[in-house]
Structure formats: structure tokens, C-alpha cells
Amino acid sequence: YGGLANSWDYGPLGVELKNNIKQAWWKKFVKNNKVNIEDRFADLPFDSDRKMMTVIYKHEGKFLSITKGAPDIILEHSSYKPDEQRALMANEEMASDALRVLGIGYRIFDTLPELTTENVENDLTFVGLVGMIDPARPEVKESIRLASQAGIRTIMITGDHVKTAEAIAKQLGILRDGDLAIASSELQKMTDEDLFDNIEKYSVYARVAPEDKVRIVETWQKIGHIVSMTGDGVNDALALKKADVGFAMGSGTEVAKEASDIVILDNNFYSIAMAILYGRTIFKSIRKFIICQLTINLCSLLVSIIGPFIGIPVPITVVQMLWINMIMDTLSGFAFSYEPALIEYMYEKPKKKSESIINKYMFNQILITGLYSAILCIFFLKSKFINLIFGDDLMTAFFGLIIFISIFNSFAARTHRLNILGNIFQNKVFILVILFVICMQIILLYKGGELFRTNGLTIREFIIMVLFSLSVVPIDCIRKTILKLKGDKIGV
């Protein structure tokens, strides 16, 4: 830390650092002291319990160990620290500027010591502090905002100093007004009951240990939340496994990837927000398909049951029903699978764990549109006026009516808007599937023959049949308008 280097006495090895601290000091220090970075003698790797790591070099016939880690821990293990209070203040100041701060200390041995943390990482000479920043990607703040709009709360769990974590969390919108940050030392003093009662107050957890992460995840689950966890290290594995959904980073350890449910290949929080958006889109597409499917099935069932009682033993033949089912089961499922992921879905509240796949809105649409379609079909079959229009072509027209009701119903099912063409060009597959069904249906009406019980329609008859089937659209618009006026939820 440049401000400290001007007035501190670092000991014999620290003089080189003092002279070069504002430059690329580490390389120059190593060069001046003839230490080969590429050929270090031994090391003690970092772990989250002791919050330090050490490298050892052979230097001028002696052994130089250089230790870095959390500033307070390095100071605690140092016997030479000219102004500990000032160092701690500098640590706080740098951390408040969203810098990640490392303390550095060294020790010289005449002979190679036993490579244990007790032997090597005690009695250090404290050198100073290094502040680094790992800036968040530009899209992260917007991703967190989107997640918040979607009813998803983002919590930061980090090994950084609490001040660093607070500063970064404020920049990203994680730490909002009224939210608190807590360090692991305070967290470990809290009983499980206290944490259960107060966990929603905390948005930032700093200096956490692996067991803290598991405890945080479990407590959020206990109060009824669905919890996802992101991580990349071995010490994240338990929490990733415990969470309802574990996200591992693509650059993370194999242990973290194995423990998680999903691997984020680009290491980007934005991908998690997009995963939520696409998850919601898929769920909505499933619901739209169910509406389309059950509406026409209800209509076909009622017509098939009522038909014999009104003098029409076989209103829909087996072959016709197979074609209807092919449209409903295969082609409509394919078309709805390409529904666009609209950003407006992120402004909806999350679905409850216990929520049924068929909600009130869906039931309303299936029942009203299905009943209306069945009444329309029965009227079409029994009305003397319709019989006068179509004559011997009545059953051909009726087959066309059922199919075109399905087509127009699929438009109504795919959007909650009164404009049934809303965002239609964002799903080109839907358009192609509908065009294919229309073309195939026209061919079957005119060339189906005895197999499909059809013998063609005049242009006038075809237009009248299409207009009758089109009536499901205004009926659905009326239904949506009534729901909107009542203040009920509109859409799936």
C-alpha cells in the first residue's frame, strides 16, 4: 500500500519493496534478489480455514518463505509489524473501496524447515498490503436487477473482508437499504434459532467457512424458500449439493461440478438470469400446449358423446380423430416449444412449489372455449339453416370446422393478449406449423375421399365454415376482457 511504504521500516528484505512498491514491485523485487519465480522450492497451498498460502524459494544459500493471506491473519502471525493499527485501518479503507486486500509477510530460514504451517507461517516479518479489484462484468448489475424483479433475492457469500463485500454488494444492487452484512465470526456466535429468525435481514456474508455456507442454505430452506447456490471451489461442494439447485462455474473444480446440477460454462451470473427466463418460458409453453390440447379434447369428447343422442352416430370418424390428435399431440407441441423468451416473464412472481400445473386461468379457458366449441359443433350439425347451406357436404364441412377451431384456438392459447398475433413473428416455427396444417387440411377436405369422409366444398361453403370456426377468437377475447375487469390474473 503506497501510503504506508513511505514511512515504515520493513527490515532488511523490506527495503527493496519500499523502493519499488509503486511500480511492478514484485517482479523487480524478485529480480533484484535473484529469486527465480519459475523454480520455487516448495509451497503450502491456500485453504479456507487458515486463510493463507506460502511459497518457499532457495535464496543465497538460505530459504525464503513468502506468505500471503487475509491481512488480519498475516498480522496475527507476524512478530515484526511496526504499526499494526495503521495496517488495519488501511485494510478497512481499501476494502471499503471494493478492493480485495492481501497481507504479505516473509521469513528467512538458514536450513529448510519442516513443511508445516506451524513451522513456516509463524514469526513472520510483515511487509504490507496489496489491494486488487476483480471488476464485475457490465451485465451483472442488470442481471441482479432482473432477478430481483422476478422475485428472486440474490445473496452474496464470500471469503472477502466484510467491507469489501459490502462495497461490491452496494455497487451491484445486492445490498439494498435496510439489508445487513455479517462476518463469519458473528455468524458462528448466532444460534440456529437466532439465524432462523433473522436470516432475511442479511444480504452479505463475509469471511465464510464451508460449514457456514451449508448452514445459510439450510436456514433459507427451513423458512420455505427454494435455494440455488453458485460456486467453483472444493469448499463449495457441500452447499452446492445441499441447495435445491446447484450452479457450478465452468472454470471451477471437478468436485464442484460433480456436486452441482447445472454448470455455467461462461462463468457469468447473466447466464443464471437467462436460465431462469428460459425455464419460465418452457413452463409457460407447456401450459399453453395443455390449454390447446384439453380444449379441443373437451370439445371432441362432448360432441362424440352427444352426437348419437341427436341422430348423428359418428360425428367424428376414427381416422379423423387420428388426424386431430396428430395436430394436437405432435404438431402443436412442436410449435409451442419454440415460443419466444419474453423479458416480461421476469417481472412475474415465482411459482410456488405446491402450484398445480393447471391454474385457474387455464381451467377457465379450457372450460369456456371447450364448451363453446362443443355447442358450436352441435349447432353446426343440427341447425336447419346450416343444413340448407351445406346439404350433402355437411360432414365434410364439420371435419373442417373441428380442425380450424383447433387452429384458431392455438392462436388464442399462445398469448394472454387480446391481440392473438402478439409476438407471433418471434415464433416462426409456429407460423410454419399452422401453414402446414392448413395446407394439409385443405388437401384432406378435397382429396380425402372415403378414408376421411370428405368430398370437397365450394368456395362459399369453405369461407362460411372458416368464419364459424373463427368465432372462438372473439369469444376468447370477451373471456379475457371479463377476467381483466374482475382483476383476475391474465395468462399462464
Side-chain angles (χ1 to χ4, degrees):
Y1 186 56
L4 299 180
N6 293 327
S7 58
W8 279 26
D9 175 14
Y10 292 102
L13 201 61
V15 173
E16 280 302 324
L17 179 60
K18 176 181 175 182
N19 294 334
N20 299 292
I21 196 137
K22 293 182 181 178
Q23 305 171 33
W25 58 268
W26 186 253
K27 288 185 179 179
K28 192 166 183 179
F29 166 73
V30 170
K31 180 181 178 182
N32 290 348
N33 287 275
K34 299 181 178 62
V35 176
N36 186 357
I37 285 180
E38 286 75 25
D39 190 26
R40 63 188 182 189
F41 195 83
D43 61 67
L44 296 173
F46 175 86
D47 75 54
S48 57
D49 290 330
R50 70 183 208 283
K51 294 183 173 61
M52 292 187 295
M53 73 161 289
T54 297
V55 293
I56 299 175
Y57 297 95
K58 196 165 185 179
H59 176 61
E60 296 181 354
K62 298 183 179 182
F63 293 90
L64 165 67
S65 75
I66 304 170
T67 303
K68 69 177 181 180
D72 50 331
I73 303 296
I74 297 293
L75 284 165
E76 186 180 313
H77 287 75
S78 296
S79 57
Y80 186 82
K81 40 189 175 183
D83 195 341
E84 181 177 2
Q85 193 59 38
R86 188 175 175 195
L88 290 172
M89 288 173 61
N91 180 34
E92 292 282 318
E93 180 185 337
M94 295 165 78
S96 298
D97 289 335
L99 293 174
R100 289 175 175 170
V101 187
L102 287 178
I104 298 176
Y106 75 90
R107 185 175 174 184
I108 296 177
F109 297 89
D110 293 325
T111 59
L112 181 66
E114 184 182 352
L115 295 178
T116 65
T117 57
E118 291 78 12
N119 289 336
V120 177
E121 294 179 340
N122 283 306
D123 198 25
L124 301 174
T125 295
F126 182 69
V127 175
L129 306 175
V130 176
M132 302 168 290
I133 190 162
D134 181 12
R137 298 187 185 193
E139 64 271 19
V140 170
K141 187 173 183 179
E142 175 62 15
S143 303
I144 291 171
R145 187 192 68 79
L146 274 177
S148 178
Q149 290 286 350
I152 298 160
R153 183 171 176 182
T154 304
I155 304 296
M156 179 186 284
I157 303 176
T158 177
D160 287 337
H161 189 281
V162 66
K163 292 291 184 183
T164 304
E166 277 185 344
I168 295 172
K170 284 177 181 176
Q171 290 176 8
L172 297 178
I174 294 173
L175 196 66
R176 300 162 298 182
D177 291 342
D179 291 349
L180 301 175
I182 186 171
S184 176
S185 55
E186 298 174 59
L187 182 64
Q188 290 172 3
K189 294 175 185 176
M190 297 176 71
T191 64
D192 289 343
E193 291 74 18
D194 288 339
L195 184 59
F196 181 88
D197 292 336
N198 296 288
I199 193 164
E200 293 189 90
K201 297 178 182 177
Y202 300 106
S203 289
V204 175
Y205 299 85
R207 288 281 191 250
V208 290
E211 56 271 20
D212 295 329
K213 297 176 184 180
V214 175
R215 190 181 177 204
I216 293 164
V217 168
E218 287 179 334
T219 306
W220 278 103
Q221 289 172 328
K222 285 176 185 176
I223 64 174
H225 288 273
I226 306 296
V227 180
S228 71
M229 169 78 186
T230 63
D232 58 3
V234 173
N235 58 358
D236 296 318
L238 287 175
L240 286 168
K241 196 72 177 174
K242 184 66 182 174
D244 296 290
V245 183
F247 290 94
M249 298 296 108
S251 61
T253 61
E254 289 303 316
V255 174
K257 292 177 186 177
E258 286 295 324
S260 65
D261 302 293
I262 299 170
V263 177
I264 304 298
L265 297 177
D266 62 357
N267 306 314
N268 196 338
F269 186 84
Y270 181 75
S271 296
I272 298 176
M274 290 300 99
I276 294 165
L277 173 59
Y278 280 101
R280 291 186 172 192
T281 302
I282 291 168
F283 186 68
K284 284 177 177 290
S285 296
I286 292 169
R287 282 183 155 180
K288 292 172 185 179
F289 170 73
I290 290 172
I291 290 173
C292 194
Q293 174 87 321
L294 293 187
T295 300
I296 202 64
N297 282 354
L298 177 61
C299 171
S300 301
L301 178 65
L302 291 175
V303 171
S304 297
I305 291 173
I306 296 171
F309 292 100
I310 60 174
I312 304 173
V314 187
I316 305 171
T317 68
V318 173
V319 176
Q320 288 174 344
M321 185 57 75
L322 286 172
W323 170 236
I324 293 169
N325 284 340
M326 182 179 175
I327 295 172
M328 291 297 99
D329 294 341
T330 307
L331 295 177
S332 67
F334 184 65
F336 281 117
S337 68
Y338 283 85
E339 278 295 279
L342 303 177
I343 202 70
E344 65 191 49
Y345 299 158
M346 293 296 280
Y347 295 90
E348 299 177 5
K349 292 181 179 179
K351 303 289 187 291
K352 292 182 179 178
K353 221 176 184 180
S354 58
E355 183 169 333
S356 170
I357 189 74
I358 299 180
N359 63 9
K360 184 179 176 182
Y361 175 85
M362 294 171 67
F363 182 80
N364 180 280
Q365 185 166 359
I366 292 165
L367 185 63
I368 290 177
T369 308
L371 284 175
Y372 172 76
S373 300
I375 292 167
L376 179 63
C377 289
I378 293 167
F379 170 78
F380 199 87
L381 289 170
K382 291 304 293 180
S383 168
K384 291 180 180 179
F385 172 71
I386 298 297
N387 270 271
L388 287 173
I389 294 173
F390 292 97
D392 293 338
D393 296 333
L394 178 64
M395 299 313 294
T396 301
F398 176 72
F399 179 44
L401 179 76
I402 286 279
I403 298 301
F404 278 92
I405 283 175
S406 302
I407 291 170
F408 291 121
N409 178 56
S410 65
F411 279 93
R414 66 171 296 276
T415 180
H416 64 277
R417 295 173 171 83
L418 297 179
N419 175 16
I420 62 170
L421 300 180
N423 302 303
I424 189 68
F425 293 107
Q426 293 186 50
N427 187 350
K428 293 180 174 61
V429 172
F430 183 89
I431 297 171
L432 292 174
V433 167
I434 293 299
L435 290 175
F436 172 77
V437 172
I438 291 172
C439 291
M440 286 299 301
Q441 184 59 30
I442 291 172
I443 291 171
L444 293 178
L445 287 176
Y446 289 91
K447 300 294 182 180
E450 291 184 9
L451 181 62
F452 283 90
R453 198 177 65 182
T454 60
N455 54 14
L457 299 171
T458 66
I459 297 297
R460 174 174 169 272
E461 289 171 342
F462 185 86
I463 292 172
I464 292 172
M465 177 269 294
V466 171
L467 290 175
F468 265 96
S469 61
L470 183 61
S471 65
V472 297
V473 173
I475 292 297
D476 188 67
C477 288
I478 293 169
R479 180 191 67 83
K480 289 174 180 174
T481 302
I482 292 172
L483 287 177
K484 195 173 288 188
L485 291 174
K486 286 172 63 180
D488 290 350
K489 181 189 172 185
I490 303 293
V492 295

